[in-house]
């Protein structure tokens, strides 16, 4: 049984930092690309960042480029999202997802496994 579990969300002031973690079990983690998406109230889910299985490729949305960093530790079966210089518009539920094709993609339908999400709230 595949489980994807996010942690690390919370409340932070604008300009602050948070690090999200996501652990995936029940799959060959090292062969999966991993991605982060987010959904704000009243908005559609949007791509945030992704990392390929090999760590050679990373992808970021324009809105987080230069502020967020995605990384992974295959030995721990964990992917991280370091979020710096947070803005109120970063407030959302953040979801972690696993892509069996391994290359990493901005397209949500390609991810077969999803976590339940973790809330990030940035106050102004």
């Amino acid at each position: 049984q595949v489980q994807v579990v996010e942690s690390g969300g919370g409340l932070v002031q604008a300009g602050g930092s948070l690090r999200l973690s996501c652990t995936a079990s029940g799959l060959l983690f090292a062969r999966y690309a991993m991605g982060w998406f987010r959904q704000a109230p009243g908005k559609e889910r949007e791509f945030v960042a992704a990392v390929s299985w090999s760590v050679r490729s990373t992808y970021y949305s324009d809105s987080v480029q230069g502020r967020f960093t995605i990384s992974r530790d295959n030995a721990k079966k964990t992917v991280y999202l370091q979020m710096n210089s947070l803005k109120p518009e970063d407030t959302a539920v953040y979801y972690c997802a696993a892509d069996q094709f391994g290359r990493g993609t901005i397209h949500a339908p390609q991810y077969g496994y999803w976590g339940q999400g973790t809330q990030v709230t940035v106050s102004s």
Side-chain angles (χ1 to χ4, degrees):
Q1 180 181 356
V2 176
Q3 285 191 314
V4 178
V5 180
E6 305 95 337
S7 62
L11 174 64
V12 64
Q13 289 188 333
S17 299
L18 279 176
R19 188 176 81 156
L20 304 183
S21 300
C22 169
T23 300
S25 60
L27 50 75
L28 190 56
F29 181 84
R31 290 302 183 186
Y32 279 69
M34 299 298 295
W36 287 95
F37 291 75
R38 66 187 182 187
Q39 188 167 18
K43 295 186 177 181
E44 294 186 352
R45 190 172 298 189
E46 66 172 357
F47 169 78
V48 175
V51 58
S52 66
W53 70 272
S54 66
V55 197
R56 293 176 184 171
S57 299
T58 56
Y59 309 88
Y60 297 93
S61 68
D62 290 343
S63 61
V64 308
Q65 179 76 50
R67 300 188 297 122
F68 291 11
T69 303
I70 189 169
S71 61
R72 65 188 295 162
D73 184 334
N74 287 343
K76 295 183 178 180
K77 299 183 180 181
T78 300
V79 62
Y80 304 96
L81 185 68
Q82 177 66 44
M83 305 186 295
N84 299 328
S85 302
L86 283 161
K87 305 175 181 180
E89 50 264 43
D90 293 318
T91 295
V93 176
Y94 282 70
Y95 297 91
C96 176
D99 165 24
Q100 68 179 15
F101 296 101
R103 293 184 297 273
T105 175
I106 67 172
H107 302 295
Q110 189 148 316
Y111 290 82
Y113 301 104
W114 292 80
Q116 292 299 306
T118 185
Q119 176 71 46
V120 172
T121 303
V122 184
S123 62
S124 57

